[in-house]
């Protein structure tokens, strides 16, 4: 309950940070303090120092989503926000894409996602994926759900102007008939 409430508060505060900075003289120091606390929490979690892991069922995953988002927006790099995942940090540093998956995807899938962006023409990345946004958020919405509880769904958008959702599947989870009803038959990885 506390994690959900904190994530909700951050969702309202972070997108409006520029307005708060312009009108509230104490906001800048409070933001610096919040960033330091966020970095400490993520660092402790990465080193196994937390009593309980951040999961979808305790709403820690969605809270960590917003803590990471805060650090990515202000730091403009992944060093503190993605301290627990070198592949996710590499994806962000190379392509300004934040993978919001609650650390669900395996490293191979994250690395192949980076490879996909490596192959994407620059104009599609700049004028499409990142258009007028500091970074894009690639969300795996299902990874933030606990069983049938979808309450976190409303807390996953709004970090930047660009974002999209993908299915909760790792590379190699299955195949599909990619060109059904076309006369051509190609079975491929659908994840």
């Amino acid at each position: 309950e506390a994690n959900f409430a904190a994530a909700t508060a951050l969702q309202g505060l972070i997108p409006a940070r520029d307005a708060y900075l312009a009108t509230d003289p104490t906001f800048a120091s409070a933001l610096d303090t919040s960033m330091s606390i966020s970095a400490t929490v993520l660092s402790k979690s990465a080193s196994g120092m937390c009593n309980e892991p951040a999961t979808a069922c305790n709403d820690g995953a969605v809270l960590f989503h917003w803590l990471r988002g805060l650090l990515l927006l202000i730091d403009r790099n992944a060093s503190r926000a993605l301290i627990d995942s070198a592949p996710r940090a590499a994806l962000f540093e190379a392509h300004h894409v934040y993978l919001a998956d609650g650390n669900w995807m395996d490293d191979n899938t994250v690395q192949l996602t980076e490879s996909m962006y490596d192959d994407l023409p620059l104009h599609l990345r700049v004028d499409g994926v990142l258009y007028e946004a500091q970074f894009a958020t690639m969300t795996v919405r299902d990874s933030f759900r606990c069983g049938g509880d979808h309450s976190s769904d409303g807390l996953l958008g709004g970090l930047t102007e660009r974002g999209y959702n993908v299915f909760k599947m790792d590379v190699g989870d299955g195949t599909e008939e990619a060109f059904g009803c076309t006369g051509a038959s190609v079975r491929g990885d659908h994840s």
Side-chain angles (χ1 to χ4, degrees):
E1 215 171 275
N3 289 341
F4 190 87
T8 301
L10 287 170
Q11 184 189 33
L13 186 67
I14 291 173
R17 70 191 178 287
D18 291 337
Y20 285 112
L21 285 167
T23 60
D24 184 347
T26 63
F27 187 77
S29 64
L31 182 60
D32 287 341
T33 301
S34 296
M35 288 178 56
S36 293
I37 292 168
S38 297
T40 299
V41 168
L42 293 171
S43 178
K44 284 182 177 183
S45 177
S47 61
M49 295 174 59
C50 292
N51 293 335
E52 186 177 344
T55 68
C57 292
N58 65 16
D59 293 315
V62 74
L63 175 58
F64 276 26
H65 164 68
W66 282 100
L67 297 179
R68 287 184 176 104
L70 171 66
L71 292 170
L72 291 170
L73 285 165
I74 305 299
D75 290 350
R76 297 181 178 263
N77 66 63
S79 63
R80 296 193 299 171
L82 301 171
I83 192 170
D84 57 344
S85 176
R88 285 169 180 76
L91 173 63
F92 185 85
E93 296 299 341
H95 299 292
H96 297 106
V97 173
Y98 164 45
L99 176 54
D101 69 332
N103 286 350
W104 181 85
M105 282 186 179
D106 65 29
D107 287 351
N108 181 51
T109 301
V110 178
Q111 290 163 347
L112 288 171
T113 300
E114 183 178 352
S115 294
M116 179 203 68
Y117 277 104
D118 290 343
D119 293 339
L120 198 62
L122 182 63
H123 74 279
L124 291 179
R125 281 186 274 142
V126 173
D127 296 332
V129 175
L130 297 173
Y131 183 72
E132 293 186 355
Q134 190 173 328
F135 59 84
T137 304
M138 178 177 151
T139 305
V140 182
R141 186 173 306 277
D142 292 345
S143 67
F144 292 93
R145 294 176 177 162
C146 181
D149 180 3
H150 295 203
S151 60
S152 65
D153 284 3
L155 292 176
L156 296 172
L159 271 175
T160 68
E161 295 81 8
R162 296 289 171 261
Y164 59 96
N165 186 59
V166 297
F167 296 109
K168 188 177 177 184
M169 300 179 81
D170 276 322
V171 170
D173 279 353
T175 61
E176 69 178 347
E177 173 54 69
F179 297 97
C181 301
T182 65
S185 179
V186 178
R187 291 207 65 80
D189 183 352
H190 66 69
S191 44

